């Protein structure tokens, strides 16, 4: 099953030619989760040929415009496409009020329900679950209420090892084995142990989205061992003071957090428009954590 | 003096690759007026290398998202750039409420004043005037309150004809002549008639922006003789029924309106995403009005 993250925007507050506001799509199997939705996200989805109709959940980190001003246009387009399936929206208090006001003033009720969940950005708690994943909030420390999101794949079923299977098993028996159940005869004796004919499922994958925040060491505990960590890196470390003032992190700090957390891979993004060349940011983060890449528009990372 | 219109978006409700939501910039001398502000307008301004800081007035036609969802991001960027000059915003009732709600929920008061003028979309009346232009509303007939805007350049001063001027005139005398005043001696006798040494100023230029609307013949009277008419052409005429249902016009109707109004040039835009090839729309409009062009992204028309 796929577990792919696609980056739609790498810019911080001010967009540039080719650098757009923050948005990401996590695709897990046939499901898609949109994470933040900066202005013109719908145009990025078109560019990346991502069919948005598959998305049922949108997670918004905070109410700075570069993280959610694309939401209203996207919902409007889904309405024009005739969507009827409800859409779940997660975000801080106030997001529903902005949305309701926009819709009322434009005289356009949507063709589908938006089911809003107001998340407590100060807590690390599960806010969503489906057959494929759980999603927990990650408290960020920013100028306004803000949280990241941690996506954890649910454990899969054990895998059958064909060469070890006796012949003649019916589908129900095979499914029981993948669920970790042994097969028993009529009097209850185990005649086939699942451990003998199956192997463990692949390790569940995980993705942690951390934007926007000042460096917060305690975050490492919450994302320990994560397969992929996205951490904002608005500034180079020489701008640490400015980073702290504005509620942001430096590339060095992003690398430090990945190392502290024992992450497997790091993506850095949300770059200040002062950096036309992003290599210095990448090098700075890599000095702390080698397996770092730039979260640039169009990048897809498969786990 | 320049009187140039630049098109930033040609799409109607649903954007496409390369076709963006409606926005236009009218540059008159050193002043710039932004007309509608669809999502990602700030990215179009960057692409077209238009310095937005010069703009003091934004005119919004109506509160469908494809005409104003770019406003909040643009204002946010001006805030980040440290703008202090007030900005005048014209639009229908409700726009100020949406803006106020957005700003409050994002916890970001702007660094400059937005002075909102609520326009009556049912009237043809002057809503703005500066040294260069007057702006009048143009009532549109759409699904929600909507108006166009008519920009009329103010008459310039008469021009001095150097070969006819006597020598020895001081600057104050020259300026009086360009204002259409005669020069008199101490006892009040005219000794130099302005008509003898000046020629009339160039004819004032005008631009009418008409989007979104069903075909409305009476509009022709309001924009009679306009130098440049932009009229929406969402559909081909074979889709007339759909156009009327959705409050839009066809390319043929845009051409008819231009002909009825005695416009000098016509631009058509706001194209439905069903039309990948726009030539049929252009041909249809040109059968009614020859001097028609497509209002495509990046086009600049100088008058």
């Amino acid at each position: 099953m796929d577990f792919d993250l696609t980056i739609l925007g790498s810019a911080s507050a001010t967009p540039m030619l080719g650098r757009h506001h923050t948005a990401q799509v996590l695709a897990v199997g046939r499901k898609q989760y949109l994470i933040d939705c900066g202005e013109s996200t719908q145009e990025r989805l078109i560019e990346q040929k991502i069919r948005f109709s598959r998305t049922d959940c949108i997670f918004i980190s905070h109410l700075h415009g570069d993280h959610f001003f694309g939401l209203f246009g996207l919902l409007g387009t889904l309405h024009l496409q005739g969507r009827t399936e409800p859409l779940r929206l997660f975000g801080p208090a106030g997001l529903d009020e902005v949305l309701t006001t926009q819709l009322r003033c434009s005289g356009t009720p949507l063709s589908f329900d938006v089911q809003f969940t107001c998340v407590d950005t100060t807590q690390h708690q599960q806010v969503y679950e489906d057959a494929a994943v759980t999603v927990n909030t990650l408290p960020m420390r920013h100028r306004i209420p803000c949280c990241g999101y941690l996506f954890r794949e649910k454990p899969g079923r054990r895998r059958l090892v064909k060469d070890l299977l006796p012949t003649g098993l019916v589908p129900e028996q095979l499914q029981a084995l993948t669920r970790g159940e042994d097969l028993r005869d009529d009097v209850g004796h185990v005649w086939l142990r699942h451990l003998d004919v199956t192997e463990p499922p692949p390790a569940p994958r995980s993705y942690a989205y951390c934007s926007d925040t000042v460096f917060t060491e305690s975050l490492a505990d919450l994302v320990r061992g994560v397969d992929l960590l996205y951490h904002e890196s608005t500034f180079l470390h020489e701008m640490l003071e400015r980073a702290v003032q504005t509620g942001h992190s430096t590339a060095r700090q992003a690398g430090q957090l990945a190392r502290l957390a024992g992450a497997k891979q790091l993506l850095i993004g949300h770059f200040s428009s002062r950096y036309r060349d992003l290599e210095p940011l990448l090098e700075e983060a890599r000095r702390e954590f080698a397996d770092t890449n730039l979260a640039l528009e169009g990048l897809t990372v498969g786990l």
Side-chain angles (χ1 to χ4, degrees), chain A:
Chain A
M1 191 162 77
D2 294 341
F3 195 99
D4 295 343
L5 181 75
T6 299
I7 305 298
L8 301 180
S10 69
S12 62
T14 310
M16 294 167 65
L17 212 56
R19 279 197 223 155
H20 305 282
H21 281 159
T22 302
Q24 306 185 351
V25 174
L26 181 67
V28 181
R30 292 182 59 80
K31 292 189 80 79
Q32 278 178 181
Y33 311 92
L34 180 65
I35 309 164
D36 275 341
C37 188
E39 186 175 350
S40 80
T41 291
Q42 62 173 323
E43 297 188 351
R44 303 286 86 65
L45 290 163
I46 294 169
E47 276 175 9
Q48 299 299 326
K49 298 187 175 58
I50 295 176
R51 278 185 51 201
F52 188 72
S53 52
R54 273 201 199 152
T55 303
D56 295 321
C57 296
I58 303 176
F59 297 87
I60 301 293
S61 64
H62 66 300
L63 300 189
H64 280 154
D66 55 326
H67 291 258
F68 85 108
F69 276 172
L71 182 61
F72 313 108
L74 186 58
L75 297 182
T77 295
L78 291 173
H79 164 75
L80 290 168
Q81 290 171 351
R83 181 185 178 108
T84 55
E85 301 78 25
L87 192 142
R88 294 198 62 179
L89 175 65
F90 299 81
L95 181 55
D96 52 339
E97 184 188 349
V98 177
L99 180 58
T100 305
T101 306
Q102 292 261 22
L103 292 173
R104 178 168 45 76
C105 291
S106 69
T108 311
L110 296 177
S111 60
F112 56 95
D113 270 348
V114 177
Q115 299 168 347
F116 178 64
T117 299
C118 180
V119 301
D120 183 344
T121 59
T122 67
Q123 299 299 310
H124 174 55
Q125 58 193 15
Q126 185 174 311
V127 291
Y128 176 72
E129 178 178 17
D130 61 24
V133 299
T134 60
V135 182
N136 280 59
T137 48
L138 295 167
M140 302 283 113
R141 285 165 54 209
H142 194 44
R143 303 198 301 279
I144 60 171
C146 179
C147 67
Y149 292 98
L150 174 61
F151 294 78
R152 284 196 184 281
E153 187 181 25
K154 286 186 170 175
R157 292 190 173 190
R158 295 184 67 85
R159 292 178 169 186
L160 298 166
V161 182
K162 281 186 182 168
D163 293 345
L164 301 176
L165 281 174
T167 56
L169 293 180
V170 298
E172 290 73 18
Q173 291 173 313
L174 295 172
Q175 286 166 19
L177 290 166
T178 64
R179 286 196 300 269
E181 299 166 14
D182 298 331
L183 300 189
R184 294 167 187 272
D185 60 20
D186 293 344
V187 293
H189 290 133
V190 171
W191 68 272
L192 187 61
R193 293 182 355 131
H194 74 275
L195 288 174
D196 294 340
V197 293
T198 63
E199 58 187 15
R205 295 159 289 185
S206 54
Y207 171 57
Y209 171 78
C210 300
S211 182
D212 299 1
T213 190
V214 292
F215 176 73
T216 305
E217 197 171 321
S218 60
L219 191 55
D221 289 331
L222 305 183
V223 300
R224 181 133 342 267
V226 74
D227 292 299
L228 179 61
L229 170 66
Y230 169 89
H231 197 288
E232 70 125 299
S233 303
T234 309
F235 298 104
L236 282 171
H237 204 69
E238 65 190 20
M239 299 281 291
L240 177 61
E241 197 177 335
R242 175 99 179 124
V244 173
Q245 276 169 2
T246 56
H248 289 297
S249 299
T250 69
R252 184 193 296 178
Q253 292 176 324
Q256 286 171 342
L257 206 284
R259 186 161 47 73
L260 286 168
K264 305 226 177 33
Q265 290 184 57
L266 171 64
L267 288 177
I268 58 172
H270 199 266
F271 307 116
S272 164
S273 60
R274 79 188 59 219
Y275 303 117
R276 297 206 169 259
D277 177 11
L278 299 174
E279 283 302 310
L281 289 141
L282 181 60
E283 285 167 19
E284 185 174 287
R286 280 186 172 166
R287 280 196 289 275
E288 299 290 333
F289 186 82
D291 200 353
T292 302
N293 286 293
L294 299 171
L296 296 181
E297 284 75 3
L299 175 76
T300 294
V301 179
L303 296 180

